[in-house]
Every structure is written in C-alpha cells, then in structure tokens.
Amino acid sequence: MLNTNGNIKSKILLFLSMVLFYDLGYSQNVYVEFGLGAGIPLPPYSSTGAVDVGNAKTAVQGNVSIAYRLNEGISMGLKGIFMQNKQDGPIGPVGPFVSLLPWAVNTLLLQGELSQKIGPKVFFNLSAGPGIMFARFPNASERISFRTVTRDNRNGSGFALGGGAGFRFYTADNFALTTNMYLLTAKPEINEDAYFLSQRINVLFLNVGVILEIK
C-alpha cells in the first residue's frame, strides 16, 4: 500500500527547507528570534486516565525562528519549538502504564506574521502557520500479576498547526525584546508493523525572547 502520509510529510519538510534557503538568500532583511518559556499542556494531552490522554505536565520549552521581513508589517519564515513533558500518572490509550521517560516534542512550522506599530518602538504581532511535529512516545511499564510489562519508546509524527500573538519592544535598531502567547496543536502517530498509536497534543506557550535583526 502506498504510504501517502509519509509522502505528505516529506513534501512538507522539503517546502520548509526551501523557505529557509530563501530567507538566508536575502539576509539583509532577515531576523532571528530566540525564545524561552513555559509549555502548558491542554486536554487531552494534559488529562490523566487510561484512554486517549497524555498525562503531560507543564515544561520549559525553547523556540527559534528565522524569517524574512517583506516589509515593516509582513514577514515569513520558519519556527522550531522544542519541549519535553514529564508524565503524571498512567499513559493512554494502551492501558494504565507508568511512565519511565517524558514526552519529547519537536515541531517545525512555516510561519507568517503580521505586525502593527502601536508605539515609537513597540509592535503588536499576529502569527500562524502549518508544519510537522515529531514526538517520542515515552516508554513505560506496568505491573501485572507479579510481573512487569514494558512498552518501548517509539517515535511518531504528524501535521501541526500553530498560531499566536505578542509584542516586540525595540531597544536598538537591530535588537528587540519580545513577549508571546502561542497555541500549538497536532496529532502525531505511529503506524508501523501493525502497531498503531496516536496522541492529540495541544500546548499553550508563554514566552519571552529576543530578536536580532540582520540588515
């Protein structure tokens, strides 16, 4: 059977790579943003129980963006988000497992941004875009009838969608401080050798960061 899901993911990665090379080719209008903050899981990723839940705890997350500024109000580029969420309780949907490792969630997004100047050196930003999420489904163990059953950790991936709002405050012509709120949703899955597992991952990010303008 043709693996259309894998073909779609490959095309997404190819397109994102093309955007990155385009940005680097016009480096006089490129900016790089580094962010750090809290990754707050939302249901069902944060829920506890045994069916279709992630039992994820709030984690520290980091993100990096590189974008080409078309003009003062519009930019386009790539955003990478990196996070590990520890577990709290049993893991679904395969049963009441006890986690041994955290979720590892890495996401690459194509991001467009609209900016509006609201002060001499202050901008309000809206951003959104599609991408792909790579998630390590954590290994786990369960005690059943005086013996321990272990599930190995496996890697899955799936389509992702993100969007958010924030502010940037310029302290120099090529340097700014940022605050952002960003919502990310995806449903990575594992589908190999008759083994299928998926998990809806919804996360709210609260970030602070810095922007370096390359002019």
Side-chain angles (χ1 to χ4, degrees):
M1 182 180 292
L2 181 64
N3 187 356
T4 57
N5 190 40
N7 291 337
I8 292 173
K9 294 173 185 176
S10 298
K11 290 178 181 178
I12 291 174
L13 286 175
L14 177 61
F15 181 68
L16 294 177
S17 299
M18 291 172 62
V19 173
L20 176 61
F21 286 125
Y22 178 86
D23 286 348
L24 294 176
Y26 290 85
S27 60
Q28 68 272 21
N29 292 315
V30 166
Y31 69 87
V32 181
E33 180 176 1
F34 302 93
L36 187 68
I40 305 171
L42 303 176
Y45 187 44
S46 63
S47 303
T48 58
V51 180
D52 297 327
V53 298
N55 306 289
K57 293 183 179 181
T58 298
V60 174
Q61 59 82 29
N63 58 84
V64 179
S65 302
I66 179 169
Y68 173 66
R69 201 177 299 286
L70 301 173
N71 55 46
E72 187 179 77
I74 302 175
S75 62
M76 180 183 68
L78 298 179
K79 184 180 187 72
I81 303 175
F82 315 97
M83 177 181 62
Q84 289 194 349
N85 297 99
K86 292 183 178 180
Q87 300 288 322
D88 183 17
I91 296 177
V94 296
F97 280 80
V98 177
S99 173
L100 299 179
L101 289 176
W103 289 91
V105 178
N106 301 311
T107 308
L108 184 62
L109 299 163
L110 171 66
Q111 179 169 272
E113 184 176 270
L114 300 177
S115 300
Q116 177 63 49
K117 193 172 186 179
I118 59 175
K121 295 185 178 182
V122 182
F123 286 80
F124 174 70
N125 311 312
L126 291 174
S127 60
I132 187 168
M133 176 182 286
F134 302 93
R136 182 190 65 200
F137 288 64
N139 64 345
S141 65
E142 181 185 14
R143 190 72 174 172
I144 302 177
S145 300
F146 304 104
R147 66 188 181 92
T148 299
V149 177
T150 300
R151 186 190 73 191
D152 293 334
N153 61 284
R154 298 191 181 211
N155 296 316
S157 60
F159 177 78
L161 188 63
F167 298 90
R168 69 179 191 269
F169 310 87
Y170 281 92
T171 60
D173 289 343
N174 62 346
F175 183 84
L177 304 176
T178 65
T179 61
N180 295 287
M181 180 174 66
Y182 199 85
L183 181 64
L184 178 66
T185 183
K187 193 173 185 179
E189 63 182 39
I190 304 167
N191 191 359
E192 55 185 32
D193 301 327
Y195 183 95
F196 180 81
L197 183 63
S198 66
Q199 175 64 54
R200 170 62 65 182
I201 295 180
N202 300 322
V203 185
L204 176 66
F205 300 110
L206 302 177
N207 296 314
V208 294
V210 297
I211 285 180
L212 301 177
E213 303 264 2
I214 305 174
K215 297 183 178 182

